Amino acid sequence: MLFSIIIPCRNEGDHLRRTVRSMIQARGSEQEIIVVDDGSTDGCCDFLRSGEMPGVRLVEGKNLGVAGARNVGAAQARGEILCFCDAHLELPPGWLAALARPLGEGMAEVVCPAMADFRRPHAVGYGVTWGASLQWRWLHRRPPEPSYVPLAPGGCLLVSRQVYEAVGGFERGFYGFGFDDQEFSLKVWLFGYRVMVQPQVQVRHLFREAHPYPVGADELLHNFLRMTFLHFNRRRLKRVMEMVRGQPGFAGVMAGLLDSDVWEKRMNYFRRRRYDDDWFMERFKIPF
């Protein structure tokens, strides 16, 4: 079975080289590595252009955004299993086969590992949930075995190609950075598939205080609102509007959103999904 590892990157410095080297050294399964350079200006992908790691495929892009870069990489991939990874990870030996075990045993369709902070390795997250205002919250209690979680962090997640294609990949209407993994996990659950953390696999992730490229407040707000418009019922959408309407740029973001394909896509998703957002919130005890 071939695993396709897809790494979107932009201005990653030497982190990308170290991540790719870690993947090659930890190799225990048949794998291909695809790096999608989303318009880097710091030369972080030059080592791939020079042929330093000839087995790694480089795909050139510009202004794709994280979701777009992941989708472009998936379109180039040949594997039956897709693994989306950040460009600043350290992987343990045999990680891919162990991470894929819940897929092979029919327990889940999306799997993420435990994720440790590179600088504070004792700080480990076992999947993600939402708080009372839909804020990102790591799950810090280690489950004794693979367990279902509401959200898989995009820093490292595994999905079968069949399910990736069935849900339409990552959201194609997102801008830049933000909410791509949360929307993807939510969509997976609502469409009747399952997301699981594999605590026996722990990867180390560099959590940075600032992005190496500009991330605008408007793009974050757009992605957040688009996710909620695509998947939330009217009552829950009203709560979202009350929560964010005072943010700068709200009117412009809403105008752009309402002039997009969001309503058509929403109706399509509501027809196709197996569960609704009430079920999801109740299933994972999310107070929103």
Side-chain angles (χ1 to χ4, degrees):
M1 179 181 296
L2 176 64
F3 293 86
S4 294
I5 303 172
I6 298 157
I7 309 171
C9 74
R10 186 177 179 188
N11 295 344
E12 287 288 343
D14 200 45
H15 297 304
L16 175 64
R17 178 191 272 109
R18 289 197 290 266
T19 297
V20 172
R21 184 178 295 121
S22 173
M23 290 173 174
I24 292 172
Q25 291 173 346
R27 178 173 180 161
S29 306
E30 186 179 0
Q31 67 181 36
E32 64 173 357
I33 301 174
I34 301 170
V35 174
V36 182
D37 182 12
D38 192 16
S40 295
T41 57
D42 68 345
C44 64
C45 294
D46 287 350
F47 75 100
L48 296 176
R49 296 185 182 96
S50 71
E52 180 181 327
M53 297 182 184
V56 180
R57 295 163 59 193
L58 178 63
V59 178
E60 305 281 2
K62 189 175 182 180
N63 298 324
L64 299 169
V66 177
R70 287 182 173 142
N71 288 332
V72 165
Q76 299 284 331
R78 297 180 290 110
E80 303 166 58
I81 304 294
L82 307 178
C83 184
F84 297 96
C85 289
D86 281 352
H88 33 270
L89 299 178
E90 184 178 284
L91 294 313
W95 68 285
L96 264 179
L99 193 59
R101 195 167 297 127
L103 268 68
E105 295 176 358
M107 300 168 65
E109 289 74 37
V110 173
V111 183
C112 64
M115 193 163 287
D117 188 325
F118 215 101
R119 297 187 179 94
R120 297 182 302 132
H122 61 280
V124 183
Y126 299 93
V128 177
T129 189
W130 278 325
S133 299
L134 298 181
Q135 71 271 32
W136 177 283
R137 285 182 52 191
W138 285 101
L139 296 166
H140 290 295
R141 180 174 295 180
R142 187 187 193 278
E145 57 190 19
S147 300
Y148 296 117
V149 293
L151 308 171
C156 184
L157 70 81
L158 203 71
V159 57
S160 71
R161 175 182 290 278
Q162 181 180 2
V163 170
Y164 168 87
E165 293 176 349
V167 302
F170 289 89
E171 172 51 40
R172 299 174 192 278
F174 276 1
Y175 300 154
F177 173 89
F179 295 96
D180 49 283
D181 46 5
Q182 298 172 60
E183 192 276 338
F184 183 77
S185 297
L186 174 63
K187 182 168 56 179
V188 165
W189 276 112
L190 297 185
F191 279 32
Y193 303 108
R194 299 159 297 176
V195 179
M196 181 168 271
V197 65
Q198 166 59 294
Q200 281 79 38
V201 179
Q202 181 174 301
V203 306
R204 296 178 69 186
H205 181 277
L206 176 65
F207 291 95
R208 293 180 288 213
E209 296 181 358
H211 296 280
Y213 52 84
V215 175
D218 282 4
E219 71 184 53
L220 289 170
L221 182 58
H222 169 272
N223 291 357
F224 173 68
L225 286 174
R226 186 170 175 92
M227 175 184 70
T228 61
F229 268 78
L230 288 174
H231 299 294
F232 286 3
N233 62 36
R234 291 187 179 186
R235 175 181 52 82
R236 194 162 278 115
L237 271 179
K238 181 181 177 182
R239 291 189 62 185
V240 169
M241 294 299 103
E242 292 169 349
M243 188 171 67
V244 303
R245 69 171 67 252
Q247 292 189 18
F250 173 78
V253 170
M254 277 299 301
L257 191 64
L258 296 176
D259 196 34
S260 73
D261 66 342
V262 70
W263 294 113
E264 179 183 356
K265 201 164 192 178
R266 171 187 173 90
M267 289 188 292
N268 178 43
Y269 282 179
F270 275 47
R271 284 193 299 265
R272 291 183 56 196
R273 66 190 192 177
R274 180 175 179 183
Y275 303 112
D276 62 18
D277 48 311
D278 283 340
W279 172 90
F280 178 81
M281 299 298 180
E282 292 167 7
R283 168 72 172 78
F284 293 107
K285 298 179 173 57
I286 297 170
F288 189 89

